[in-house]
Amino acid sequence: MAAALEVELKLVGDPSELSAAFENLSGDPPIRQTLLSTYYDTPEGHLRRRGFALRVREESGSRELTLKQDRGDGLTRGEWTSPMDGPSVDLDILPRHAPRDALGISDPAALEPKFLTEIERSKKETRTGDAWVEVSLDTGRIVAGDRQEPVEELEFELLNGPVTDMLSGVRSVLGERCLSIGTRSKAERGMDLSRGASPVAVRGTKVYLDASDTVDRALAKVARATSMQLMGNLAPIVEASDAEGVHQLRVSLRRLRSALLFFKDHLGSRAAELNVEGRRALKRLGPARDFDVFLLETLPPVIDANVEEFALLRLRKGAEDRRRPAYEDVHRLIADPRFNRFLLDLMCVAESGGLVVRQADEPLTATATRMLARRYRALMKSGRSFDGLAEPQRHRVRIALKKLRYACEYSRTLFPDPATGAYLRCLSELQDDLGRMNDAAVARWISLDVAGDDPDVAAGASLVGDWSGRWARSAEPRLRKTWLKFAETKPFWQASEQTGAQRTAVPPHSAPEQEQRQQ
């Protein structure tokens, strides 16, 4: 299905900064345009749900019909455009190769105008490296009924040349101006405005590695998946302070850092810089996530069980007051040009790789097998004598388990065996149990920290501590059972070496000895 592929990135920020950035870019004198666009969909939103946008644009007396399809990476879209002669929207005039059958529309008459955009555009062409780029300064508004919101953005569209050269040019702009990457198109913003909705958090996509991939190509695939998840969760946080957006942003950063550490034997300074920036961002996101879990997951059942305890309401109010500055810091992080340069660096890796500096030709499956075994050994070492481990040691087990799970998720397609899925389910179950234990521990710490010297709030903190302690004690047998199940499960990357002999169940405190026998 052929399409004109639109490669585009936009910057947002203060209008004066946007104007200055546009003026500083070289190129011929800008062309001025007035663009009026009306966007269509069915009442049920068939196009929106399928990732399409349908637009009629008017400029200087002419009209054109454009269908766009979001590719999900925040950078590329399919685009099909045809001139319009008549007044009505007719899908049949779209180019022959446009994906009409994928739109989910049986009756084009069901299409109705959803919102419009009124844009004053100044555009010029500029060169960055070997890429020719059209740069547009757009100002105006999006209007949906009685709702409207302003448009102030600087748009970079690749005309020809390497995508990475365009991204490098945008990165240079971020080095000079206090701007950030705009992650949503006018169509996405307009559709949400017409529905009175906020952008929703985005979960990560599965990474499909192939045995024929090089390590560099594998990392590029991981970078693409994590950058899509990163970019998709910025708007929910910025526009709605969405708790799930913060959670998924942290997950994406952890996935990235896990992959960089997984392949670290092959990587150089460029990968190390990405890892440092990912770690810095994770640290900034941590307090907001901790308060979200406390307020949305841990505290409600305690309040439900003690409905007349005013101290718990005081504790909740104190935690809400502490969460606000934590979210303000998250917003500052997302607006920080340093963080946005990190996003662009990640996009460059997704497009062209370039992180591997050693052993680039080593078979990917062999690399994954060796590194999975290393992660497994680290986990089993940290989990030695699991039944008797104290809370800090359990936390180290949880971190080691996360690293192994992310590595397994990346590598699973290299080992197409039913044992792979079963092992991942076992990992997930154990991670969930350890995570809930950790949440209970964090809840006790947050309660005491929020209470401070206030005796009334301290009474509420004591109730949270008692509840968390009782829950942890009741959950301990299940956790030990889950660990034992995991310890007895043969790692899927060892399945090809299995001789068919039945393995003997080994108690969790003997896990390192079991590991030695398996090797």
Side-chain angles (χ1 to χ4, degrees):
M1 184 169 60
L5 195 63
E6 179 185 66
V7 181
E8 178 185 288
L9 190 69
K10 60 184 66 182
L11 298 179
V12 296
D14 185 88
S16 63
E17 287 285 285
L18 292 167
S19 296
F22 180 76
E23 293 298 330
N24 289 345
L25 291 168
S26 61
D28 295 332
I31 299 172
R32 315 288 181 183
Q33 295 174 294
T34 299
L35 306 174
L36 303 177
S37 301
T38 304
Y39 288 77
Y40 290 79
D41 204 342
T42 66
E44 300 80 13
H46 285 84
L47 298 179
R48 173 184 55 81
R49 291 202 300 267
R50 289 165 173 78
F52 289 98
L54 186 68
R55 176 189 76 196
V56 174
R57 171 169 286 176
E58 301 181 28
E59 180 194 1
S60 303
S62 64
R63 302 168 77 234
E64 65 179 19
L65 180 67
T66 298
L67 177 69
K68 293 192 177 188
Q69 182 183 24
D70 188 3
R71 297 299 174 88
D73 61 358
L75 191 62
T76 56
R77 297 177 181 88
E79 183 179 285
W80 300 266
T81 299
S82 293
M84 291 181 64
D85 295 326
S88 61
V89 175
D90 182 1
L91 297 178
D92 289 336
I93 71 172
L94 287 169
R96 178 178 53 82
H97 50 271
R100 297 184 190 86
D101 294 340
L103 302 181
I105 299 175
S106 57
D107 181 12
L111 290 167
E112 61 183 23
K114 290 293 186 180
F115 66 95
L116 59 88
T117 62
E118 303 169 348
I119 303 297
E120 295 296 329
R121 169 170 289 179
S122 299
K123 69 177 183 180
K124 60 185 175 183
E125 294 182 9
T126 188
R127 187 181 182 92
T128 171
D130 291 329
W132 277 103
V133 180
E134 182 179 270
V135 186
S136 301
L137 179 64
D138 287 354
T139 62
R141 61 178 184 159
I142 303 172
V143 181
D146 59 355
R147 304 188 186 101
Q148 61 177 279
E149 61 181 51
V151 174
E152 300 281 355
E153 59 191 32
L154 189 62
E155 189 175 277
F156 297 77
E157 182 175 350
L158 183 67
L159 301 177
N160 59 66
V163 176
T164 51
D165 283 13
M166 183 188 82
L167 295 176
S168 295
V170 177
R171 194 184 193 283
S172 297
V173 173
L174 288 176
E176 300 169 356
R177 296 290 168 187
C178 189
L179 300 170
S180 55
I181 297 171
T183 60
R184 299 219 296 158
S185 66
K186 298 178 184 70
E188 292 171 313
R189 293 175 59 191
M191 281 299 177
D192 280 347
L193 186 66
S194 69
R195 298 163 54 233
S198 298
V200 297
V202 175
R203 298 179 67 87
T205 57
K206 186 177 179 181
V207 177
Y208 290 89
L209 301 184
D210 187 86
S212 63
D213 286 335
T214 63
V215 174
D216 199 48
R217 176 61 181 157
L219 272 170
K221 288 182 176 181
V222 171
R224 176 172 291 274
T226 53
S227 67
M228 289 168 62
Q229 190 178 6
L230 269 166
M231 298 285 284
N233 286 294
L234 299 183
I237 298 171
V238 171
E239 298 182 29
S241 291
D242 183 68
E244 182 63 17
V246 171
H247 173 54
Q248 293 299 330
L249 186 59
R250 294 179 80 230
V251 169
S252 63
L253 290 165
R254 283 205 176 107
R255 293 176 75 200
L256 173 65
R257 294 193 67 231
S258 177
L260 294 174
L261 292 172
F262 188 62
F263 291 111
K264 67 178 181 179
D265 292 347
H266 299 263
L267 309 181
S269 59
R270 188 179 174 198
E273 291 169 3
L274 285 174
N275 189 38
V276 167
E277 292 303 316
R279 182 179 182 181
R280 172 179 175 266
L282 272 170
K283 187 175 181 180
R284 296 276 295 274
L285 293 166
R289 177 57 183 167
D290 287 343
F291 279 111
D292 283 338
V293 172
F294 179 75
L295 286 164
L296 301 177
E297 299 177 21
T298 305
L299 195 55
V302 185
I303 292 177
D304 290 343
N306 300 271
V307 291
E308 297 182 0
E309 278 291 343
F310 181 70
L312 286 171
L313 302 183
R314 290 277 305 273
L315 177 64
R316 183 175 64 187
K317 176 62 167 59
E320 288 171 345
D321 290 344
R322 295 280 292 276
R323 181 170 62 168
R324 278 190 289 273
Y327 262 85
E328 289 170 1
D329 191 50
V330 172
H331 290 170
R332 285 193 293 271
L333 167 70
I334 292 174
D336 187 350
R338 176 175 171 178
F339 177 73
N340 284 267
R341 290 194 294 271
F342 159 70
L343 294 178
L344 285 169
D345 290 340
L346 188 58
M347 288 182 187
C348 285
V349 172
E351 289 296 324
S352 62
L355 292 182
V356 172
V357 298
R358 292 179 291 274
Q359 299 170 299
D361 57 349
E362 183 178 53
L364 182 59
T365 303
T367 301
T369 300
R370 187 179 73 253
M371 300 310 298
L372 287 168
R374 180 186 295 179
R375 286 282 169 89
Y376 179 76
R377 289 194 298 271
L379 171 59
M380 302 311 285
K381 181 179 180 180
S382 66
R384 182 179 300 174
S385 302
F386 184 84
D387 291 3
L389 292 182
E391 199 171 88
Q393 287 73 41
R394 290 274 181 92
H395 179 68
R396 285 196 283 271
V397 174
R398 187 176 68 91
I399 298 303
L401 181 71
K402 278 188 177 183
K403 292 179 179 179
L404 177 61
R405 183 184 174 188
Y406 287 136
C408 288
E409 287 178 344
Y410 293 143
S411 307
R412 64 182 302 171
T413 55
L414 298 173
F415 304 89
D417 187 279
T420 303
Y423 192 80
L424 277 166
R425 287 190 292 274
C426 186
L427 271 175
S428 178
E429 184 181 8
L430 179 57
Q431 183 179 335
D432 288 345
D433 287 352
L434 283 168
R436 284 188 284 267
M437 284 289 196
N438 183 71
D439 291 343
V442 171
R444 291 194 295 271
W445 176 84
I446 286 179
S447 297
L448 293 172
D449 189 51
V450 170
D453 297 328
D454 189 323
D456 292 334
V457 183
S462 178
L463 287 171
V464 171
D466 291 343
W467 184 91
S468 298
R470 288 194 302 272
W471 182 91
R473 287 189 294 274
S474 67
E476 180 67 18
R478 171 186 163 84
L479 177 60
R480 293 183 180 185
K481 183 178 178 180
T482 308
W483 172 261
L484 175 61
K485 178 183 175 182
F486 168 74
E488 293 175 343
T489 303
K490 188 177 185 68
F492 62 82
W493 59 90
Q494 296 179 4
S496 61
E497 303 169 4
Q498 191 165 4
T499 62
Q502 295 295 321
R503 293 181 295 113
T504 303
V506 179
H509 61 268
S510 301
E513 289 85 341
Q514 175 199 11
E515 176 207 359
Q516 187 174 3
R517 284 198 302 274
Q518 289 175 346
Q519 293 175 349

